[in-house]
Every structure is written in C-alpha cells, then in structure tokens.
Amino acid sequence: METILGKINMALLFKILLEIVLLCAALNISNFLINNIFKKISLKLRDLETKKQYNTLRLILLSVAGTIVFLFFGTNILQDMGIDMKPILATAGVFGIAIGFGAKRFVEDVISGLNILLTGQVRVGDVVIISGTEGTVERVTITMIVLRSADGTLHFIRNGLIDRISNRTRTFAYAVFDITVAYKEDIKHVIEVLKNLGEEFKNDPYYKNHVLEDIEVLGLDSFLDSSILLKCKIKTTPQSQWEVKRKFNLLIKEKFDELGIEIPFPQVVVTQAE
C-alpha cells in the first residue's frame, strides 16, 4: 500500500529538513539583529523614559519578525510536501473576512492597542493602574497588556476594555508625605526641620541621583482629633518615589526622636468611677 511517506524521496526530505534548519537560523538571526541593534541604541540613551519606549518597540518587532519568518518558511515547506496552498489561502481569506465582520471584540482590541502603542501611553517596565488593577507592565501587544502586581499575580487586560490608564512612572514622580505632630509643637519649627532634612537628603551621595528638586513643604494641611497634619512632597525620577518615601520616612522618625518632636498616636484614657 502506497503511503505519503513513500512518496517523499530523499532529496525532498533533505530539502524540507534544510528549510526547517533555515527557519531556526532565520529566527535566531532576526532575534540577534533586533536585540543587538536596540542594545546599541539603549547604550547611547540616558533618558529612562526613552529606554522604556525602545524596549517596548523591541519586543513588538521580535514578535512581528517571528510571525513573518514562520509564515514564509511554513508556506514553503507545505508547498514542497505537495500541499496546494491556493485553496487554503482562499479559504483563510474568506474565513478571515467572516471573522473580521463578526469579531467585534478583536477589532476593538486591535484599534485600542494601536492607539496605546502609537501614543506611548505605556511601556514595558512602567508601573500603571488599569481598570483598578495596579502592576508593572511586562508585555504590550496590539490586543492586550500584561501586568504583574506586587504579590506576583499576572493580569491579562484586553485593550478594548481600557478607557483609562494611570501611569505612575512617566517622566517623573512625587513621593508624598503625610506627617502628623502634636498640637503642642511649634509648626514653624517643624517645617524648618523638614526643609533642612530635605536638603540633606537631596545631597546624599546615593539619593541625589533620584531626587530632582528641593523638598516642597506644603504646610499645615488639616487638624485631626489628636494631631496636626503637615504635607510635603519630593519630586523624584520615575519608579524612585517608593524607595525615596521609605528612606525619608525613616529619616523623619530619627530626626523627630532626636529633637523631641512628638509624633502622636491614638490613645484611649479610661476613667474608672469609684
């Protein structure tokens, strides 16, 4: 009984194997070229925001190049095996048109994705809030955005569902502080202490590269039940605001303890009637 394998002669088998080897080589070469080109570009860049934009573009090009290579070699291999591609392509074309009319969600995702990519609303590495979900952008495609939250959860969000993106690491950020002190404290003195502490912090050998401007003490913000709330903020480089906030909070606590400035905490006084 004649089989398909029997029809394949050694020359054809060798040609197919060669095309598979060329497919793997083309994938590796395209990935190598794209990665190296963007690596060289990245080394010349100093702006973190621009680096993120180029890294996102690199990942998209890798995906597109891989798809083109697979389609090109895959079509040739099928043709060499004696499979007529014309009916398949014609069927795929008709099927694709049918899907194009019916797959409203897919079309919405693609249109929204193109808008997000072209306007640079998010880049790989950004920390964003999308549809109430906060996380670091791990991947951006024309159909979805993949976020990794702080607890490690991976979120896949369709671009067509996105109506608002809050980017927390674009261009610059603010480390915002809500500082409470007792009513008995001299507020002008506390504000002066915060300004001096901010100046010292800005000149720190490590943090001076993360702090963009002098500390901005906004002043007395509100009167609470047992304390006075002061608000201040420090302008930082993107993604540095959390580290700056943790470190500066520690410095505030140490300085207030040193100067005897009271940071009140809720207390309950119980009076027992005799």
Side-chain angles (χ1 to χ4, degrees):
M1 184 174 62
E2 191 176 35
T3 63
I4 295 177
L5 290 176
K7 296 180 180 179
I8 301 178
N9 56 40
M10 293 303 296
L12 179 58
L13 182 60
F14 177 78
K15 184 179 180 182
I16 292 174
L17 290 175
L18 179 61
E19 288 177 335
I20 293 175
V21 172
L22 291 175
L23 166 62
C24 296
L27 283 175
N28 289 328
I29 291 173
S30 63
N31 290 347
F32 176 81
L33 290 175
I34 293 173
N35 285 328
N36 274 269
I37 290 172
F38 279 91
K39 183 178 180 181
K40 290 180 180 179
I41 294 174
S42 181
L43 291 174
K44 297 179 181 179
L45 298 174
R46 293 292 179 266
D47 181 37
L48 180 62
E49 300 300 304
T50 307
K51 285 185 177 182
K52 287 182 180 180
Q53 188 72 30
Y54 274 96
N55 187 45
T56 302
L57 181 59
R58 178 183 65 85
L59 295 176
I60 294 172
L61 286 178
L62 286 173
S63 177
V64 171
T67 302
I68 293 174
V69 170
F70 268 112
L71 288 175
F72 177 77
F73 283 96
T75 302
N76 287 339
I77 290 172
L78 290 176
Q79 286 179 339
D80 290 338
M81 293 176 66
I83 299 174
D84 189 2
M85 295 300 298
K86 292 180 180 179
I88 296 177
L89 293 175
T91 303
V94 174
F95 187 63
I97 293 173
I99 290 179
F101 281 109
K104 181 181 177 182
R105 288 174 52 177
F106 179 78
V107 174
E108 289 176 349
D109 291 343
V110 171
I111 294 175
S112 299
L114 289 174
N115 179 56
I116 291 171
L117 292 172
L118 292 175
T119 56
Q121 296 176 29
V122 297
R123 288 78 46 87
V124 174
D126 281 348
V127 178
V128 299
I129 303 174
I130 301 176
S131 302
T133 301
E134 180 175 356
T136 303
V137 179
E138 287 200 351
R139 186 154 49 93
V140 181
T141 70
I142 60 172
T143 57
M144 72 173 62
I145 294 177
V146 181
L147 298 183
R148 177 81 66 177
S149 61
D151 63 359
T153 304
L154 200 61
H155 305 274
F156 299 86
I157 303 174
R158 283 181 46 220
N159 291 334
L161 296 177
I162 299 173
D163 59 355
R164 182 174 63 181
I165 298 176
S166 301
N167 195 324
R168 304 190 67 179
T169 53
R170 187 65 179 266
T171 310
F172 64 87
Y174 282 106
V176 181
F177 305 87
D178 291 330
I179 304 164
T180 57
V181 297
Y183 274 91
K184 67 181 181 64
E185 300 296 341
D186 183 347
I187 300 303
K188 291 183 179 179
H189 173 62
V190 174
I191 291 176
E192 191 64 29
V193 169
L194 291 173
K195 288 181 178 179
N196 293 335
L197 194 60
E199 186 65 26
E200 294 176 12
F201 184 72
K202 182 183 177 183
N203 295 323
D204 182 273
Y206 176 76
Y207 288 99
K208 67 180 181 180
N209 295 323
H210 300 285
V211 178
L212 300 178
E213 295 179 359
D214 294 336
I215 186 172
E216 185 177 354
V217 181
L218 304 176
L220 197 160
D221 190 71
S222 60
F223 298 96
L224 306 179
D225 291 339
S226 58
S227 62
I228 293 175
L229 177 65
L230 300 174
K231 190 178 288 288
C232 62
K233 62 181 182 179
I234 298 176
K235 189 175 183 179
T236 73
T237 55
Q239 294 187 324
S240 298
Q241 63 266 42
W242 298 287
E243 183 181 1
V244 167
K245 185 172 184 176
R246 287 190 290 268
K247 180 61 178 179
F248 197 69
N249 274 333
L250 177 61
L251 294 178
I252 291 174
K253 179 64 169 63
E254 292 175 346
K255 178 61 70 172
F256 281 15
D257 288 345
E258 177 187 335
L259 299 177
I261 299 174
E262 181 183 349
I263 302 176
F265 56 91
Q267 302 181 52
V268 178
V269 178
V270 179
T271 303
Q272 184 175 1
E274 296 182 359

